[in-house]
Amino acid sequence: NFTEISFSTNTLRNMATLFSFSNILLLILMGYFLLSNFTIERVYCFERLEKGDNRLLIQETIEFCQEHNQLFLARPEWLVKATCISAFVFPFGYSLIILAVLFDGWKVLAVPLLLFIGCKLNAIMYYHFMEFTSAQPPQNLIPYFAVEGPYLVSIALVICKVCNSLYSSSTNKKKNTTKKTV
């Protein structure tokens, strides 16, 4: 039956889109960010990170920060508050991105995604400005950006995905109106 073949082709096309490199990368990054939100950031929000704490990723974070991000361990008040916002608000944005990837919902979720990305970009730029102008700026940029860089990569990917979905849908509308008038 023609409709069954058509459905099967659309299903394969949707699966190929779901398993694209950029979608897989976004899913991995969102998992990484959510893990950080629910482990490191929530602990940091309420208490100082201490050696001997056996909770998930705390010792690794302490060791990394002693070498490459001492400001995080110094816990200035602005950073504690920013981390609390990240720990308790940003998971909603990361979840929206996961939904957009899984259901190809970039166009439908364009406005909330772009609002979230704007908030995230503002937070990251503020954080880096404060980090690099502090009394304890990062000394070795490669490990520092190995941890911070994925946030920038995910922002760029989401912006590209949203813009592509909005552009392709407007291009399709133009093609459909051109075909109807001919």
Side-chain angles (χ1 to χ4, degrees), residues 86-115:
S86 178
F88 291 98
V89 176
F90 286 2
F92 295 105
Y94 300 140
S95 298
L96 275 179
I97 293 169
I98 291 170
L99 289 173
V101 168
L102 294 177
F103 298 104
D104 197 22
W106 299 105
K107 183 179 178 192
V108 172
L109 296 170
V111 171
L113 285 172
L114 291 175
L115 287 171

Side-chain angles (χ1 to χ4, degrees), residues 17 20 23 28 30 33 38 67-68 74 80 90 92 96 99 101 111-112 116-117 135-137 139 154 162 169 171:
T17 301
S20 70
N23 281 348
I28 290 168
M30 295 309 110
F33 302 156
F38 290 111
E67 289 280 323
H68 307 293
V80 173
F90 286 2
F92 295 105
L96 275 179
L99 289 173
V101 168
V111 171
F116 171 68
I117 290 300
Q136 301 169 305
Q139 299 300 307
S154 70
V162 169
S169 67
T171 304

Side-chain angles (χ1 to χ4, degrees), residues 34-77:
L34 286 168
L35 180 64
S36 179
N37 288 144
F38 290 111
T39 57
I40 302 160
E41 292 180 1
R42 292 198 179 187
V43 171
Y44 187 86
C45 184
F46 296 110
E47 61 192 83
R48 187 171 292 282
L49 301 183
E50 300 286 343
K51 286 186 178 182
D53 189 331
N54 292 325
R55 287 178 280 189
L56 184 63
L57 297 176
I58 300 302
Q59 285 307 304
E60 294 82 355
T61 302
I62 292 170
E63 291 169 15
F64 177 84
C65 290
Q66 286 172 334
E67 289 280 323
H68 307 293
N69 191 353
Q70 293 178 7
L71 184 65
F72 194 74
L73 294 179
R75 285 179 56 91
E77 191 61 28

Side-chain angles (χ1 to χ4, degrees), residues 12-28 100-102 104 106 157 161 164:
L12 291 174
R13 192 174 307 128
N14 289 342
M15 290 193 64
T17 301
L18 175 62
F19 293 114
S20 70
F21 175 76
S22 60
N23 281 348
I24 297 297
L25 182 58
L26 276 171
L27 290 173
I28 290 168
V101 168
L102 294 177
D104 197 22
W106 299 105
L157 281 173
K161 293 272 193 183
N164 187 44

